[in-house]
Amino acid sequence: MISEKTVSFLTNFIDLKSQIRDDYEQLIELTMIILGDPPKTIHWRAPGPVHHARWIAKLIYAIKIYLFRHQKEIFSLTAKEESQLKRFVQFGALLYTKSWIQAPCAAEAPGGDLLLWKNLQQYQSIDHDISIAAQKILQNHMWYLSDETVSLALFSDEVSPIEKQKIITGFGIEPSERHVRGDPSLLQIEDVSLGHFSTRRSQNLLTKLQIGHSFLVLPPERWNDNTDYQKGKQRINDLRVVKDTAERGVKLFEDYNRLTINEKEKQFILQVVEANRKVIPAQTTKKSVICAVSV
């Protein structure tokens, strides 16, 4: 069941996105191979650097090693190593890839985190140890399931009208002490929903982002016709989540790091690229950076 949903999501993602970053595209294609539904075109790329902000690279490495594990002249894995590698790749393909691909979208963050939690619970029947370990980690990273951020889900296309109405209903609940992260004890509620994380404090997000509240009195099915909701949705879509910002920062450094060994010049080049990207809404080339520095 999880496998079918993941393949369906990744297939739709490829069809809807005209441009996908290289590492994301590669991870999607490798995941679909592991799940037994390879895409028509596969882009094999040379291994890239591994960085703590780019955990995606570790999964890409692992999948490639697993796919070519029978080439003994290249990989000499023990039975234990192969077994552990299989468990890691299986977890990544079934659960991690989909969550990672969705992560840059702020509106999908609360629902995505809650869905990951529910999938991890189901995953106990596949690999109990990994499921429990991952659940413990997720409980410490509930940034988008706090009562202040759960309102992001109001602007999601994946969250059902019923779920959105539950969030609105939660606006009437008096909040407890403020926490940056969501309350992990709420995850233990049977059939937990996004509405369980919502309180009166959840409305603050709309106020801080200067989003009008007029759509709140309408049924969720009619929100898309409301001007305040349309503007709010655009504003939420423009938000950049931390993970994506870190990824892009690392990618920027990788692309231009080799132009010079002087640290001050490196910093200057990165500043030039960032400034140029803000002014010119087009892909920046290394040649243009060199020309800019030479002026």
Side-chain angles (χ1 to χ4, degrees):
M1 190 66 173
I2 296 178
S3 175
E4 294 175 357
K5 289 183 178 179
T6 300
V7 170
S8 176
F9 168 80
L10 296 179
T11 301
N12 291 334
F13 186 85
I14 292 177
D15 292 340
L16 294 175
K17 298 289 184 179
S18 58
Q19 291 184 333
I20 306 176
R21 281 167 49 187
D22 291 348
D23 48 358
Y24 279 52
E25 182 179 53
Q26 186 174 196
L27 178 61
I28 291 173
E29 292 171 354
L30 291 173
T31 297
M32 294 180 71
I33 293 174
I34 291 295
L35 297 180
D37 191 3
K40 295 179 181 179
T41 303
I42 301 175
H43 302 83
W44 295 101
R45 295 183 174 86
V50 176
H51 189 279
H52 69 273
R54 292 173 62 79
W55 197 85
I56 183 177
K58 297 179 181 179
L59 182 54
I60 291 175
Y61 270 104
I63 294 178
K64 287 182 176 180
I65 293 173
Y66 182 75
L67 290 174
F68 296 102
R69 66 191 184 282
H70 298 303
Q71 297 185 9
K72 301 299 183 181
E73 69 277 10
I74 300 177
F75 302 109
S76 181
L77 302 176
T78 65
K80 182 179 180 180
E81 289 173 337
E82 185 171 330
S83 175
Q84 292 176 333
L85 180 64
K86 179 180 179 180
R87 293 174 65 196
F88 176 63
V89 169
Q90 180 177 249
F91 168 76
L94 289 175
L95 296 183
Y96 186 81
T97 296
K98 179 182 177 181
S99 297
W100 183 271
I101 297 300
Q102 285 183 313
C105 183
E108 308 302 339
D113 284 356
L114 185 57
L115 179 60
L116 177 58
W117 171 264
K118 293 180 178 180
N119 285 338
L120 284 172
Q121 290 183 311
Q122 295 180 23
Y123 199 72
Q124 289 189 47
S125 62
I126 300 175
D127 194 317
H128 180 272
D129 292 342
I130 287 183
S131 171
I132 297 300
Q135 287 181 54
K136 289 181 179 179
I137 293 175
L138 183 58
Q139 289 183 64
N140 293 324
H141 292 81
M142 296 172 59
W143 311 105
Y144 297 103
L145 286 175
S146 72
D147 58 356
E148 291 183 290
T149 55
V150 72
S151 294
L152 290 168
L154 295 175
F155 301 91
S156 166
D157 292 328
E158 301 297 324
V159 176
S160 69
I162 294 177
E163 192 84 345
K164 291 178 180 179
Q165 190 59 57
K166 290 180 180 179
I167 297 176
I168 301 302
T169 301
F171 286 179
I173 299 176
E174 195 63 32
S176 58
E177 183 180 352
R178 180 180 181 273
H179 294 283
V180 177
R181 292 175 290 190
D183 182 358
S185 67
L186 296 176
L187 294 173
Q188 307 306 322
I189 298 175
E190 185 176 357
D191 197 24
V192 61
S193 70
L194 293 173
H196 288 107
F197 298 89
S198 177
T199 70
R200 191 184 306 278
R201 191 184 287 128
S202 303
Q203 298 183 71
N204 293 346
L205 179 73
L206 304 180
T207 303
K208 290 178 180 178
L209 294 178
Q210 299 180 345
I211 298 174
H213 294 198
S214 63
F215 67 92
L216 296 178
V217 299
L218 302 173
E221 293 85 353
R222 294 173 53 191
W223 285 357
N224 284 323
D225 298 324
N226 180 273
T227 302
D228 282 339
Y229 185 78
Q230 293 171 357
K231 292 180 179 178
K233 192 171 187 178
Q234 183 59 53
R235 189 155 295 174
I236 296 298
N237 287 338
D238 290 338
L239 290 179
R240 300 173 65 187
V241 298
V242 175
K243 167 256 176 189
D244 196 48
T245 302
E247 280 268 297
R248 292 178 185 276
V250 173
K251 182 65 167 61
L252 176 66
F253 187 78
E254 289 174 0
D255 287 343
Y256 298 98
N257 181 44
R258 298 180 182 180
L259 293 179
T260 177
I261 60 174
N262 184 284
E263 184 60 32
K264 289 185 178 180
E265 291 180 356
K266 285 183 182 180
Q267 295 301 322
F268 178 65
I269 289 173
L270 297 180
Q271 291 173 16
V272 170
V273 175
E274 279 295 290
N276 187 53
R277 287 180 175 177
K278 291 179 180 179
V279 175
I280 305 174
Q283 185 175 2
T284 305
T285 64
K286 294 181 181 179
K287 181 179 179 180
S288 66
V289 175
I290 295 174
C291 292
V293 174
S294 302
V295 174

